[in-house]
Amino acid sequence: MPLTPLDIHNKEFSRSFRGYDEDQVNEFLDQVIKDYEALIRENKDLQNQSMALQERLDHFTHIEESLSKTIIVAQEAADEVRSNSKKEAQLILKEAEKNADRIINESLTRSRKVALEIEELKKQASIYRTRFRTLLEAQLELLNTEGWQSMQFEHKEE
């Protein structure tokens, strides 16, 4: 068990012949008690400071661990967002390519259909011209026949 200032204060020495001067010994013991009490207070203050610093260190260690975990979680979230963004971009690109292919195919189908319709209209126009020409030629031939000319004269005479 450590020595206390009270132990020093209560210490009694036996008297001997030719011993030390009692007043000097008491003065010295008072000084030792005072210095020992100061050392004990200083030691207690240092222990309190050490405990406070240890608490702060523990607190900051906890904060550091939390920040490390937060950074790891944030990094993982950023990686996941980046990965999801890449996947979404790929899906959008594939959808756009599919839409582009569909639009191109529809356009080709429409252009083929329009080309067929144009060819059909050209054939119909050609048939119409041929029939119209045939009709006109038949009408001209009819006008040029003698029966038509004789009908005109007969009509004039009346």
Side-chain angles (χ1 to χ4, degrees):
M1 181 157 151
L3 190 61
T4 67
L6 191 58
D7 293 336
I8 296 172
H9 183 64
N10 291 334
K11 177 69 177 163
E12 292 287 328
F13 293 98
S14 58
R15 297 194 191 271
S16 71
F17 182 70
R18 300 186 76 177
Y20 291 108
D21 181 1
E22 188 178 334
D23 289 336
Q24 283 181 348
V25 169
N26 284 337
E27 254 180 57
F28 182 74
L29 287 176
D30 287 342
Q31 185 62 42
V32 168
I33 290 169
K34 198 186 299 178
D35 290 348
Y36 194 67
E37 285 175 341
L39 286 174
I40 288 174
R41 277 192 303 275
E42 184 180 346
N43 188 25
K44 214 172 243 313
D45 288 345
L46 289 173
Q47 284 178 348
N48 289 339
Q49 284 180 349
S50 176
M51 285 175 45
L53 289 173
Q54 186 62 45
E55 286 176 8
R56 288 185 71 194
L57 179 63
D58 291 345
H59 174 72
F60 287 123
T61 301
H62 178 71
I63 289 174
E64 180 184 16
E65 288 172 1
S66 295
L67 288 174
S68 293
K69 289 176 184 177
T70 302
I71 288 171
I72 289 170
V73 168
Q75 183 64 41
E76 289 172 352
D79 291 344
E80 187 175 334
V81 166
R82 188 178 306 116
S83 174
N84 288 341
S85 295
K86 283 182 181 179
K87 288 177 184 176
E88 189 174 340
Q90 288 173 347
L91 288 174
I92 289 170
L93 186 59
K94 284 182 182 179
E95 186 68 26
E97 287 173 349
K98 194 184 338 177
N99 284 340
D101 287 344
R102 180 184 53 78
I103 290 169
I104 289 170
N105 287 336
E106 286 176 1
S107 297
L108 287 173
T109 302
R110 285 180 188 163
S111 67
R112 287 183 190 126
K113 188 175 179 180
V114 167
L116 288 174
E117 287 176 2
I118 289 172
E119 286 302 313
E120 182 62 29
L121 288 173
K122 284 180 180 178
K123 286 179 189 176
Q124 289 177 6
S126 176
I127 291 170
Y128 176 76
R129 268 195 317 254
T130 304
R131 286 183 181 169
F132 192 66
R133 181 177 295 128
T134 305
L135 178 65
L136 285 176
E137 287 173 354
Q139 292 298 318
L140 280 174
E141 194 176 314
L142 181 65
L143 287 175
N144 289 333
T145 61
E146 291 220 10
W148 178 258
Q149 290 174 355
S150 64
M151 284 180 33
Q152 279 182 330
F153 290 120
E154 291 177 16
H155 185 57
K156 285 186 181 180
E157 292 178 12
E158 294 178 8

